Amino acid sequence: MPTLLSVNVGRPRDVAWNGRLVHTGIWKEPVAGRVMARRLNLDGDGQGDLAGHGGEQRAVMVYQSESYAYWERELVRRDLTMGIFGENFTVDGLADDEVCIGDRYRIGEAEFEVTQPRTTCYRVGLRLGVPQMAALLVSHRRPGFYLRVLREGSVQAGDEIVKTATGPEAITVSSTDALLYLPDGDVDTMRRLLNVPALSPGWSGSFHDLIEQADHPQRVRVEPSKPYWPGFRLLRVARLVRETDLVTSVYLRSADGGALPPPKPGQYLTLRIASTGQTPAVRSYSLSASGGDFYRISVKREAHGAASAYIAATLAVGDDIEVAAPRGEFLLQGGDEPIVLLSAGIGVTPVLAMLQALAAQRSSRVIWWLHTTGGPATYALAAEARQLLAALPKARGQVFYTADAASPVEVPDAGVTYGRPDRSVLAGLNLPATAQAYVCGPTGFMDDMTRALADLGLPSSHIHTEAFASRSAINPGVVVAGGRPAPHAPARVGSGPMVTFARVGIATAFGDDQGSLLELAEACDVPTRWSCRTGVCHTCTTPLLSGDVTYSPTPLTEPEAGQVLLCCSRPQSDVVLDL
């Protein structure tokens, strides 16, 4: 009979780690006597990061004494006291390869249901002093699992664990964990898991996305399987067009005039511009158009932008410039759903490329073109947009001028409104919830439009955004006091390969004392995204524009071609990261 060996609880605390503070509840200690198991957790227990731990679906964490014995052998440790893996219940029995999602158990006065495997997280490695522990738990198929409290009641060490129901589909914890984190997961088994009501919403959503990717690969917002060329190649400036006082279009062709690989609508080019100072500037610009033998970018001159100023004032026809292959996740998806192309300012460029592709296809999809700009003088590529809209039978356009309506202005067509679009404006369009929306522009504009679209019923998976500033950081549990500092060169410059963070414009040498590209990014206060820090979760996946890396530890699943996992990679040569 399985038995509850120990009940472990602990309140969140701030723990020093890598020069920072982490707010975590991973420190659990055994307690004597009876403890109430409640809907959200055990009495006396808590979680520091409620986004990844705790809550109704993850109220109680379970780990097995057999796994303790296993890790004592593997890690050559004799100090693994109960609770050290962050579990609330240390149990005899209930192996991960026997317990199934949806199984129910009575322990003491309470009843529980299995909802998901352990959330892969760096903090278990922090607790054990083994940084790679999150990856080891997955690769050795010993993750442990979470319980939901079906009936509240008291429990204590020594209680028998009685199985009261078997989960539908009979898919074990270890199999479920492997489906998400290990390569070549069986899609049919994922479908079966979606039939298990007990499976937590987070894991259900992840499997739904994987199934969608397998069923409709043309609709999934992912990088191309392989960039058209590695690193940077020289393209020649064939034409320069002044679109407005601030926007210049640059037409690029191969030096021999031959064909260029066709980009996907919405992708961008990354340029390495060597004539802007001592260190080449690396900048990314959306493709505003393309043809069989050319790419076009349209660049707005920024007040303090060295690269955009060089393009506007110095770049000349006939110049060669280094260009990385088209990349990007902001891609026009196939299908027959209505489309909303929503842009502001220079954010018009990627959605214009999408409009061009739709016109070339003679698409019969319903299309809304919604663009915001100061006025006619700042509406870059306006004539081209109107021409493309006229070629599409079910397209409708609306332009919003933010200049003072009292000022005299020539209105180029009837589809112009003064003011800024908001929720009420979008509501008046009666957008169906099935529409796919593509939003590009300043950060505030994208945030406002994303909220408005979601409030009007569009699911998050139908709202696609593009931003070339650094993405918001995901650093679970890290305590940030006083705001994040601006990105900067590291205090100690290394002597290794040069690493360029393209989005923040920082280039610095890799240091011998840095274990990974992630650690270098953190030393520069470049916003980063990570969770496991051991190559399991892929939260830190970043486009690698050029260069080569080596992995240690080896990730459980390799990233797509042209991508790199920051948390476990080191540069073998100079690298450029889209970060």
Side-chain angles (χ1 to χ4, degrees):
M1 174 71 70
T3 305
L4 178 59
L5 299 179
S6 178
V7 178
N8 316 300
V9 300
R11 296 290 190 188
R13 64 178 76 172
D14 289 345
V15 178
W17 171 76
N18 285 3
R20 289 169 286 179
L21 288 179
V22 174
H23 190 63
T24 176
I26 192 72
W27 265 259
K28 310 292 186 189
E29 302 292 341
V31 292
R34 305 202 69 80
V35 177
M36 278 295 297
R38 304 190 188 275
R39 185 175 63 87
L40 295 181
N41 50 32
L42 305 182
D43 280 358
D45 193 44
Q47 296 81 28
D49 172 24
L50 293 177
H53 306 276
E56 186 173 351
Q57 301 295 325
R58 300 175 296 235
V60 178
M61 175 68 204
V62 178
Y63 210 53
Q64 308 88 354
S65 60
E66 291 85 353
S67 288
Y68 267 81
Y70 178 85
W71 291 119
E72 285 181 346
R73 295 190 300 271
E74 286 291 314
L75 302 177
V76 192
R77 297 275 291 266
R78 295 293 182 267
D79 59 342
L80 301 183
T81 56
M82 292 184 183
I84 199 171
F85 286 89
E87 81 276 12
N88 300 111
F89 290 170
T90 312
V91 300
D92 178 28
L94 303 188
D96 291 332
D97 59 0
E98 296 176 357
V99 171
C100 297
I101 305 298
D103 284 357
R104 293 185 175 187
Y105 297 94
R106 185 175 67 250
I107 308 175
E109 298 173 348
E111 188 169 0
F112 305 87
E113 182 176 58
V114 179
T115 58
Q116 67 168 73
R118 176 196 298 267
T119 301
T120 302
C121 171
Y122 74 103
R123 279 160 288 207
V124 67
L126 168 62
R127 178 69 177 92
L128 274 82
V130 182
Q132 68 273 28
M133 199 66 218
L136 293 175
L137 291 172
V138 174
S139 61
H140 290 243
R141 308 291 291 268
R142 293 178 177 272
F145 55 88
Y146 280 106
L147 297 173
R148 180 162 68 100
V149 179
L150 296 177
R151 186 180 70 243
E152 295 183 345
S154 66
V155 297
Q156 70 176 355
D159 283 345
E160 292 184 345
I161 302 174
V162 179
K163 188 174 184 179
T164 59
T166 298
E169 303 295 343
I171 301 173
T172 67
V173 167
S174 61
S175 295
T176 303
D177 196 58
L179 280 174
L180 187 62
Y181 291 127
L182 296 180
D184 304 320
D186 181 68
V187 176
D188 288 338
T189 306
M190 296 180 194
R191 295 186 209 278
R192 290 170 51 211
L193 269 167
L194 295 186
N195 296 327
V196 182
L199 183 67
S200 70
W203 280 64
S204 179
S206 296
F207 287 128
H208 182 275
D209 291 344
L210 290 171
I211 294 168
E212 182 74 8
Q213 180 177 343
D215 290 348
H216 305 288
Q218 77 280 5
R219 296 185 183 181
V220 179
R221 187 173 47 173
V222 296
E223 288 282 315
S225 59
K226 185 177 181 180
Y228 286 127
W229 63 82
F232 290 84
R233 64 174 284 192
L234 289 176
L235 295 182
R236 184 156 295 165
V237 178
R239 187 181 175 202
L240 293 167
V241 177
R242 182 64 64 88
E243 306 288 358
T244 70
D245 288 345
L246 292 178
V247 177
T248 299
S249 284
V250 182
Y251 290 76
L252 298 166
R253 286 188 166 91
S254 63
D256 60 6
L260 290 172
K264 294 185 178 182
Q267 288 189 310
Y268 61 87
L269 297 179
T270 299
L271 279 58
R272 184 156 58 192
I273 303 171
S275 299
T276 59
Q278 292 185 344
T279 302
V282 179
R283 298 290 187 272
S284 294
Y285 302 107
S286 292
L287 283 153
S288 58
S290 64
D293 64 347
F294 77 91
Y295 294 148
R296 185 185 74 186
I297 58 173
S298 301
V299 180
K300 179 185 177 183
R301 181 169 184 168
E302 303 293 346
H304 303 288
S308 63
Y310 174 80
I311 290 171
T314 306
L315 190 67
V317 171
D319 286 353
D320 288 336
I321 193 164
E322 290 186 285
V323 181
R327 283 176 168 82
E329 300 178 3
F330 186 63
L331 304 178
L332 179 65
Q333 300 182 8
D336 56 6
E337 303 97 334
I339 295 175
V340 181
L341 302 175
L342 190 53
S343 59
I346 199 60
V348 70
T349 53
V351 294
L352 184 66
M354 294 179 182
L355 192 66
Q356 181 191 51
L358 291 165
Q361 299 164 7
R362 301 176 186 243
S363 176
S364 60
R365 298 170 76 171
V366 175
I367 301 166
W368 281 268
W369 172 265
L370 308 173
H371 180 63
T372 301
T373 185
T378 61
Y379 188 0
L381 305 160
E384 185 173 327
R386 287 194 292 271
Q387 182 179 9
L388 292 170
L389 289 169
L392 289 160
K394 295 183 181 178
R396 59 198 72 177
Q398 186 70 47
V399 179
F400 301 87
Y401 288 161
T402 58
D404 185 356
S407 301
V409 65
E410 180 183 350
V411 178
D413 61 353
V416 170
T417 299
Y418 282 94
R420 300 178 185 275
D422 55 18
R423 185 195 181 283
S424 63
V425 170
L426 297 183
L429 299 175
N430 296 316
L431 302 175
T434 56
Q436 298 282 346
Y438 301 86
V439 187
C440 188
T443 301
F445 169 83
M446 291 196 296
D447 290 345
D448 291 344
M449 294 299 97
T450 297
R451 282 193 295 268
L453 291 167
D455 194 45
L456 292 171
L458 267 70
S460 60
S461 61
H462 285 207
I463 304 172
H464 316 278
T465 60
E466 177 73 309
F468 288 116
S470 293
R471 297 181 297 172
S472 58
I474 298 177
N475 306 156
V478 174
V479 178
V480 179
R484 295 183 181 275
H488 55 82
R492 294 172 54 189
V493 177
S495 58
M498 188 65 67
V499 177
T500 300
F501 299 107
R503 296 198 179 208
V504 296
I506 291 174
T508 187
F510 190 79
D512 293 336
D513 58 339
Q514 282 149 351
S516 66
L517 286 167
L518 175 58
E519 290 184 12
L520 175 60
E522 291 172 336
C524 298
D525 284 312
V526 175
T528 55
R529 294 182 167 200
W530 49 264
S531 180
C532 72
R533 299 182 73 97
T534 57
V536 178
C537 68
H538 285 222
T539 304
C540 68
T541 300
T542 300
L544 176 65
L545 302 180
S546 70
D548 297 295
V549 302
T550 183
Y551 284 108
S552 179
T554 301
L556 299 184
T557 304
E558 290 283 344
E560 296 286 337
Q563 304 270 357
V564 63
L565 300 182
L566 297 181
C567 71
C568 53
S569 60
R570 294 170 59 92
Q572 283 189 307
S573 63
D574 292 352
V575 300
V576 178
L577 300 166
D578 187 16
L579 188 69

